[in-house]
Amino acid sequence: MPIDKIFKDDASEEKGERARMASFVGAMAISDLVKSTLGPKGMDKILQSTGRGHAVTVTNDGATILKSLHIDNPAAKVLVDISKVQDDEVGDGTTSVVVLAGELLREAEKLVASKIHPMTIIAGYRMASECARNALLKRVIDNKENAEKFRSDLLKIAMTTLCSKILSQDKEHFAEMAVDAVFRLKGSTNLEAIQIIKKPGGSLKDSFLDEGFILDKKIGIGQPKRIENAKILVANTAMDTDKVKIYGARVRVDSMTKVAEIEGAEKEKMKDKVKKIIAHGINCFVNRQLIYNFPEELFADAGILAIEHADFEGIESLGLVTGGEIASTFDNPESVKLGHCKLIEEIMIGEDKLIHFSGCEMGQACSIVLRGASHHVLDEAERSLHDALCVLSQTVNDTRVLLGGGWPEMVMAKEVDELARKTAGKKSHAIEAFSRALVAIPTTIADNAGLDSAELVAQLRAEHHNDGCNAGIDVISGSVGDMEERGIYEAFKVKQAVLLSATEASEMILRVDEIITCAPRRREDRM
């Protein structure tokens, strides 16, 4: 039997050069796709789904774009993955990480073509990434002792992060909001306590930060509109069983009076349930499911505010923020943990009425209300703000910051170049290639702004030969500028994650020398 027949008929394999070509081409195509969204002048992409309703997303967030693509190339999937991890880990730098990995592979392809073994390239890349990280560590700025300076660092980081997003026009306003919200968290990275509510109407400038929690519901009829020192029971229970449902029940009776008796019994059951709930000594009852008219009347008579059909995320967050637990049985009131807050009132945002809980148990809770022209604008604004909040909450824990605008890449490239000169053997080619790949990030930032990237990067390189230089690309004036004066800062954690993830991903793709695609499962095989 010939050796080719190991695989099934439809399985395919690509070996050696062809496999490497396929993985390089896929990874570079993905990197070129998101390249145009990098930097303050990056463009947005429209993603249209083919599903029901043809939902449209307008975004320039690398991770969101790549998440929405259905990709067949295995190497491209690796890049999509690192972008997702970057988004979950630090929130920003999702495009940079893909662009850097793509450039590293582009350089590696040239080296492989000139007969340098992939393992040699990997060894060179390893040395270069270590050297680049150390170069950044030497130049970090850390102001954690000085609260005022640290706050201004955080503001600058937030503004730099928002610069490339839809919020760039009002970045001062949103940066203030993000920094205030993150300071309320007191060092925790749990962003669930910051709730983002989107309300179409008004302009992005009208967005605001509000302490406390806002629930997107109306207060029922005949119930108190304002409660002070509220004790809140958060529940997930059925409060709609006081009527016999026509569709769900089959009861055989010989007269209408019997039906009335059954309904009366149901009503009594409901009355008992409501009594048990009132026995908790509460003045606000929030339920995830419906509350029918009868129990609602009973609550209103007892002077309890009953809120029905609160969405699940709202309920979870409300429980978290007020310090209560979600209950579904009410037999032993002492074991149920109630939530507390100082004031519950109804507020108006635009045309809508919402319920506002202020003075919550968990002091770090706050709500950011976003206003904007349409749902697409609001979704993109939420993504941008979420990125800024992620970066800030990570920076509060790891307080080291760097300058931005292509400055870190030039610092790393300079050190890596020097390492290449000192290294003997073929590895030096790989180390040099690594430095060229790093310079691709400032080059792309300049290209996207329509500037002459070759001229600017050459100027930058010359500037960086002076010690203690702060030069980076200033896309607003279209020249090389001092990043410290411009207030363009980035978090060290983001840059480090970009560098390490991109190097590891490109190493992984470089190691590939064969791609085997399984045969699709046939219907008959399942029998």
Side-chain angles (χ1 to χ4, degrees):
M1 179 183 167
I3 193 80
D4 324 341
K5 292 303 288 173
I6 296 177
F7 299 124
K8 286 191 175 173
D9 290 344
D10 297 345
S12 66
E13 66 169 330
E14 286 172 7
K15 283 191 171 166
E17 204 48 46
R18 287 198 52 184
R20 203 165 283 127
M21 268 307 291
S23 44
F24 282 164
V25 167
M28 286 190 259
I30 284 287
S31 138
D32 289 341
L33 175 79
V34 292
K35 204 183 243 183
S36 62
T37 66
L38 188 68
K41 301 266 172 139
M43 304 305 271
D44 287 13
K45 308 257 184 251
I46 289 186
L47 309 169
Q48 185 171 15
S49 81
T50 49
R52 210 136 127 238
H54 293 286
V56 171
T57 312
V58 184
T59 182
N60 77 349
D61 176 42
T64 311
I65 296 169
L66 295 179
K67 251 186 245 170
S68 318
L69 300 178
H70 291 288
I71 293 168
D72 212 18
N73 185 300
K77 284 187 179 155
V78 174
L79 291 198
V80 174
D81 255 10
I82 57 169
S83 173
K84 272 189 200 157
V85 170
Q86 180 79 10
D87 196 31
D88 300 339
E89 191 67 24
V90 283
D92 197 20
T94 49
T95 312
S96 313
V97 71
V98 177
V99 172
L100 182 56
E103 287 304 323
L104 286 171
L105 288 167
R106 200 178 303 252
E107 293 296 337
E109 186 187 16
K110 294 176 198 161
L111 295 173
V112 170
S114 59
K115 301 281 182 287
I116 294 178
H117 192 277
M119 285 303 162
T120 315
I121 301 174
I122 288 174
Y125 277 6
R126 276 273 159 93
M127 287 165 68
S129 78
E130 194 51 44
C131 163
R133 186 167 170 272
N134 293 337
L136 285 187
L137 280 169
K138 280 184 215 149
R139 305 287 300 268
V140 291
I141 307 160
D142 195 344
N143 284 331
K144 69 165 172 245
E145 307 308 326
N146 183 341
E148 215 166 284
K149 266 193 172 166
F150 183 51
R151 186 187 164 85
S152 88
D153 280 355
L154 283 182
L155 270 173
K156 287 171 187 165
I157 288 177
M159 282 198 247
T160 309
T161 303
L162 296 173
C163 229
S164 58
K165 315 268 195 255
I166 194 170
L167 304 175
S168 59
Q169 302 309 314
D170 312 303
K171 61 184 179 201
E172 288 87 1
H173 176 58
F174 283 101
E176 279 283 349
M177 265 166 45
V179 172
D180 287 344
V182 167
F183 267 131
R184 295 183 73 101
L185 291 179
K186 301 185 180 69
S188 107
T189 51
N190 178 11
L191 295 179
E192 282 176 11
I194 301 175
Q195 183 204 19
I196 298 180
I197 289 180
K198 299 174 290 192
K199 284 279 163 214
S203 72
L204 283 168
K205 264 200 188 69
D206 303 336
S207 308
F208 61 91
L209 176 88
D210 198 314
E211 66 92 28
F213 185 85
I214 297 176
L215 193 65
D216 200 348
K217 284 281 147 210
K218 292 191 181 82
I219 290 181
I221 300 158
Q223 294 180 348
K225 295 275 188 250
R226 179 188 166 96
I227 290 181
E228 290 182 10
N229 294 330
K231 292 188 183 132
I232 306 161
L233 177 62
V234 185
N236 183 5
T237 181
M239 301 294 285
D240 52 0
T241 52
D242 59 332
K243 294 186 173 70
V244 174
K245 293 198 177 63
I246 306 298
Y247 303 108
R250 283 192 64 180
V251 186
R252 289 217 163 156
V253 286
D254 43 20
S255 71
M256 277 310 284
T257 50
K258 291 282 196 320
V259 177
E261 276 171 32
I262 293 172
E263 281 202 342
E266 288 280 352
K267 242 182 175 159
E268 282 306 312
K269 250 165 65 185
M270 188 42 101
K271 222 178 199 166
D272 290 346
K273 191 171 187 178
V274 174
K275 268 187 190 150
K276 278 181 189 164
I277 291 174
I278 295 174
H280 287 66
I282 54 168
N283 49 13
C284 173
F285 176 69
V286 183
N287 191 21
R288 181 161 176 240
Q289 302 179 30
L290 281 171
I291 301 179
Y292 266 8
N293 307 5
F294 177 61
E296 199 169 32
E297 272 172 37
L298 297 177
F299 282 129
D301 292 346
I304 291 176
L305 164 62
I307 302 166
E308 64 171 4
H309 235 211
D311 57 341
F312 195 67
E313 276 103 33
I315 279 262
E316 289 255 307
S317 313
L318 184 63
L320 177 88
V321 166
T322 55
E325 282 172 5
I326 300 177
S328 44
T329 56
F330 310 101
D331 293 333
N332 357 335
E334 61 284 343
S335 67
V336 174
K337 198 171 166 203
L338 297 181
H340 296 277
C341 79
K342 292 208 174 78
L343 176 68
I344 301 178
E345 59 187 340
E346 193 170 57
I347 55 169
M348 290 278 291
I349 296 177
E351 303 291 301
D352 300 336
K353 290 181 177 172
L354 299 99
I355 306 172
H356 183 227
F357 297 77
S358 55
C360 299
E361 183 102 342
M362 184 171 165
Q364 47 247 62
C366 59
S367 298
I368 292 177
V369 178
L370 291 178
R371 306 299 310 277
S374 72
H375 283 292
H376 301 130
V377 173
L378 287 173
D379 289 343
E380 178 63 354
E382 181 186 24
R383 278 191 289 274
S384 312
L385 198 58
H386 184 262
D387 282 1
L389 291 171
C390 277
V391 176
L392 291 176
S393 66
Q394 295 291 343
T395 314
V396 169
N397 286 345
D398 182 348
T399 52
R400 294 172 291 183
V401 298
L402 296 161
L403 298 173
W407 176 87
E409 284 77 17
M410 295 313 285
V411 168
M412 293 192 278
K414 182 187 166 199
E415 290 281 328
V416 172
D417 260 343
E418 280 171 19
L419 175 71
R421 289 203 195 95
K422 294 178 203 156
T423 310
K426 286 184 175 177
K427 278 186 203 162
S428 63
H429 293 295
I431 298 174
E432 225 170 283
F434 194 94
S435 129
R436 284 199 296 276
L438 284 170
V439 176
I441 290 195
T443 310
T444 309
I445 292 176
D447 281 340
N448 287 346
L451 306 171
D452 181 353
S453 59
E455 170 69 20
L456 281 175
V457 172
Q459 275 184 26
L460 259 186
R461 187 176 273 135
E463 289 272 338
H464 272 270
H465 270 284
N466 311 330
D467 282 339
C469 151
N470 291 338
I473 292 180
D474 178 6
V475 284
I476 310 301
S477 68
S479 61
V480 170
D482 185 323
M483 293 292 109
E484 200 167 357
E485 280 172 24
R486 300 275 188 286
I488 297 174
Y489 281 67
E490 291 189 64
F492 169 72
K493 201 164 180 186
V494 173
K495 277 289 160 218
Q496 175 178 288
V498 166
L499 179 70
L500 301 180
S501 307
T503 314
E504 282 172 12
S506 53
E507 267 179 34
M508 193 169 171
I509 295 170
L510 262 176
R511 286 171 183 270
V512 173
D513 76 332
E514 185 166 357
I515 299 175
I516 301 170
T517 315
C518 296
R521 283 171 66 182
R522 294 231 178 93
R523 290 266 159 123
E524 309 84 79
D525 293 355
R526 294 183 192 171
M527 300 305 283

